Amino acid sequence: MKTRAFKFIFSILLLFNILNSKEILVEGFSSIKQTKFELRSGPSVFTEKHQNINGDLVEEWNVNGSNIDKDSYFQEMLLAEKEELEIKQKEEQRKLEEVEIKRREEAAIKERDTQKKARDLRVQALKRLIVLHADSVESSFDKLERYNLQNYYVFSADTFSTSKDLEKAKFSFLNKAKSLSIKDLNELDEAYLKKTLNKLERLPQRVELFFEQSVKFAINNSTDTRKLKELLTLI
């Protein structure tokens, strides 16, 4: 067994010496490195190759398929790195601006929504007030009709200047005011509602003064005793 093992080891050592004593004709290595940059003109590929054959170093510097010298290669790569960085920075800035624009748009939409809700509440309140005041004005006009004072109406600048002015307030204006209650909120103008409400608020006082002036005139001019007794109860 020992003899056989010794022969095996001796064979390995002999083979190693034979191989080690052989002349090596070619010994070398090579490497390649590619770097890609995304530029304004499009992708740009930088390729550097290194090859060592029996100690002789061969290098190749290539940009987009064209060989150039080493110095130019690194100069162009530096410019490409700078340009790509600028592009990335601009893209990041663009994205930030898009985010900001979107934020402002969403804020504006939210603000418009808030304003619309507030406006709708105001309009709804104005509609309700107009209905209430329109009922009050209608009652005032009904009082004029109830006591049949048409022949004794006294027209003046403080009340109604003419019978046409009275009819306009009693029918045209009042009907328009009452019709506002059935309209959709989006159909109504807030400024017009305020103007209408302001007129309605002052109208009962005008009608009441008109009624008082007409009653006094009837008392001073009527010859109907029954009518006079009725009018005296109104004073």
Side-chain angles (χ1 to χ4, degrees):
M1 289 293 294
K2 289 182 179 181
T3 302
R4 185 177 298 176
F6 175 78
K7 288 181 178 181
F8 175 76
I9 294 172
F10 178 77
S11 298
I12 293 297
L13 291 173
L14 181 62
L15 178 62
F16 176 78
N17 288 329
I18 293 172
L19 291 175
N20 198 41
S21 63
K22 287 292 184 178
E23 180 184 3
I24 298 174
L25 298 179
V26 177
E27 181 178 14
F29 67 88
S30 64
S31 67
I32 183 170
K33 178 183 177 181
Q34 283 191 324
T35 307
K36 183 179 179 182
F37 296 94
E38 295 294 339
L39 306 181
R40 297 183 184 91
S41 58
S44 185
V45 179
F46 286 70
T47 305
E48 54 183 277
K49 297 179 181 179
H50 303 276
Q51 190 176 53
N52 190 323
I53 301 177
N54 295 335
D56 293 328
L57 181 63
V58 178
E59 296 180 322
E60 184 178 309
W61 312 92
N62 184 290
V63 178
N64 294 328
S66 299
N67 291 334
I68 59 176
D69 61 82
K70 182 178 180 179
D71 290 340
S72 298
Y73 177 88
F74 284 105
Q75 287 178 1
E76 289 194 26
M77 178 175 281
L78 185 63
L79 292 174
E81 288 176 344
K82 183 179 178 181
E83 182 176 332
E84 186 178 64
L85 179 60
E86 290 175 353
I87 293 172
K88 288 180 179 179
Q89 289 175 338
K90 286 185 177 180
E91 179 62 18
E92 289 175 0
Q93 182 63 30
R94 184 188 66 79
K95 289 180 179 179
L96 288 174
E97 289 174 355
E98 285 183 351
V99 170
E100 178 62 17
I101 290 172
K102 185 176 181 180
R103 185 194 67 79
R104 290 179 180 178
E105 288 176 347
E106 290 175 349
I109 292 172
K110 185 177 180 180
E111 178 63 21
R112 286 196 297 269
D113 185 58
T114 299
Q115 291 180 358
K116 185 179 185 304
K117 288 179 179 178
R119 180 260 181 196
D120 288 349
L121 285 174
R122 293 195 300 271
V123 169
Q124 187 64 48
L126 287 169
K127 281 179 63 176
R128 181 59 181 159
L129 287 170
I130 286 173
V131 170
L132 295 175
H133 282 284
D135 290 341
S136 176
V137 170
E138 196 166 37
S139 297
S140 298
F141 281 122
D142 287 343
K143 186 177 180 181
L144 284 177
E145 296 289 339
R146 187 162 61 249
Y147 292 101
N148 195 24
L149 295 172
Q150 289 89 340
N151 295 330
Y152 304 99
Y153 282 167
V154 177
F155 298 99
S156 68
D158 294 332
T159 57
F160 303 99
S161 57
T162 63
S163 60
K164 186 176 181 180
D165 188 26
L166 175 64
E167 292 298 309
K168 184 178 178 180
K170 184 178 179 181
F171 296 107
S172 179
F173 172 71
L174 190 58
N175 287 337
K176 284 182 180 179
K178 291 170 67 176
S179 69
L180 294 175
S181 64
I182 62 174
K183 288 189 176 182
D184 187 80
L185 296 180
N186 294 326
E187 298 180 74
L188 298 171
D189 179 70
E190 187 176 352
Y192 178 75
L193 291 177
K194 289 179 178 178
K195 185 178 180 181
T196 300
L197 180 60
N198 186 47
K199 287 182 178 181
L200 283 172
E201 288 175 334
R202 292 184 285 112
L203 200 49
Q205 185 178 358
R206 291 172 60 194
V207 176
E208 185 62 29
L209 180 59
F210 181 77
F211 178 77
E212 292 175 0
Q213 291 175 348
S214 298
V215 168
K216 290 179 181 180
F217 182 77
I219 290 174
N220 292 330
N221 294 277
S222 178
T223 57
D224 185 341
T225 56
R226 191 164 65 86
K227 185 69 173 177
L228 282 172
K229 290 180 180 180
E230 181 184 17
L231 294 174
L232 286 173
T233 63
L234 303 177
I235 300 177

